[in-house]
Amino acid sequence: HSACAVTEDREVLCWGLDTHGGLGDGETGLGQRARRLGTPVIGVREAAEVSVGAYFGCARTQSGEVYCWGNGELGQLGDGRRRTMRVATRATVSGVTQIESGHAHTCAVLADGTVRCWGSFRDDDGRNQGSGSDRLAPETMVGVARATAVASGGGHTCAQTAGTIVCFGGGTSETRNFDERSGEALESHGVDLPLALEPTPLPGITPTSPERLPVAVSRDAASVCAAGQTRHFDLSGDAPTAASAVSVP
């Protein structure tokens, strides 16, 4: 319902619906009304990255701190409290090199290669995935080491580690697992502990940087994006559907 971007001046601008303070501009009277132009998030300076979930957002600064705003009733703000903030508040984590938000959670890659997450692994329908407990402050994901990047869906996150992709959170009809050899769909399930997966190359997608995940899966699990290209794949277990590359700025 909202979107945010980092400007050349290292500000974070957000626009769209201001539900639960999701724009972080300090306003209290917008309700369901939308802002058509970007407005600065109050309390964020020297931003390097921003990620938006459902009615909340988080920004990483150049110094590795994280600031979040909006709906925090499930711990989405990462400051140890359940509350809604219409301006940014600092999450209790530092040394962060990347952040990624799902529907109600955010995960951060730290400089030491660990991954910490906060909020709730709920999917877009409000169903709790994985352990089901809300994390009010960032918690280290046990079993994840030497991570270089993370990518999140609605109720799950995957981390790129040394040679493997480690996933945790939920497995719903939209986040299914497949047998690499037969291509058959495996039973969907939530996972409390990280599940290691051997990465399988996708036709037509070439990694462009070893420091970043080469692909990103959309939250509806219907598309896969690579730097400079967008392709659509069928996740029913059949072969990838034919699709032409679309230029992405």
Side-chain angles (χ1 to χ4, degrees):
H1 300 92
S2 64
C4 300
V6 178
T7 70
E8 292 182 350
D9 296 328
R10 297 299 178 183
E11 282 188 314
V12 175
L13 299 183
C14 296
W15 59 95
L17 291 179
D18 196 31
T19 309
H20 300 295
L23 300 185
D25 58 1
E27 294 288 341
T28 59
L30 283 179
Q32 290 289 337
R33 289 184 295 167
R35 285 194 182 276
R36 297 180 180 273
L37 299 177
T39 182
V41 173
I42 298 174
V44 178
R45 298 178 180 176
E46 297 301 316
E49 181 184 20
V50 64
S51 188
V52 176
Y55 310 122
F56 78 97
C58 292
R60 174 178 62 87
T61 67
Q62 290 184 302
S63 60
E65 298 175 345
V66 176
Y67 291 82
C68 301
W69 60 92
N71 183 12
E73 294 304 313
L74 302 175
Q76 298 98 313
L77 305 185
D79 62 354
R81 302 169 65 179
R82 297 182 188 271
R83 58 175 178 169
T84 292
M85 291 290 293
R86 296 186 177 274
V87 298
T89 182
R90 183 179 173 184
T92 56
V93 65
S94 59
V96 175
T97 60
Q98 188 216 343
I99 57 173
E100 179 79 3
S101 299
H103 183 77
H105 75 280
T106 297
C107 290
V109 180
L110 274 62
D112 62 4
T114 60
V115 172
R116 295 185 185 179
C117 301
W118 59 94
S120 175
F121 285 104
R122 296 176 187 264
D123 62 17
D124 295 15
D125 295 323
R127 295 171 296 185
N128 236 321
Q129 306 296 329
S131 64
S133 61
D134 300 337
R135 297 166 173 82
L136 304 187
E139 294 184 8
T140 300
M141 296 294 99
V142 178
V144 182
R146 293 187 289 175
T148 56
V150 289
S152 295
H156 68 281
T157 289
C158 293
Q160 178 174 325
T161 65
T164 61
I165 302 296
V166 180
C167 298
F168 39 91
T172 69
S173 59
E174 288 79 27
T175 54
R176 304 176 69 183
N177 299 313
F178 294 89
D179 186 284
E180 293 180 3
R181 294 179 182 143
S182 67
E184 295 180 355
L186 304 177
E187 180 181 358
S188 299
H189 61 281
V191 289
D192 295 338
L193 297 177
L195 173 68
L197 306 172
E198 290 297 330
T200 301
L202 294 175
I205 293 181
T206 303
T208 58
S209 172
E211 290 80 22
R212 303 286 291 183
L213 282 173
V215 299
V217 181
S218 68
R219 291 184 185 174
D220 60 4
S223 62
V224 180
C225 297
Q229 294 184 338
T230 299
R231 295 180 182 271
H232 293 270
F233 292 84
D234 182 359
L235 295 189
S236 66
D238 298 329
T241 58
S244 59
V246 178
S247 178
V248 178

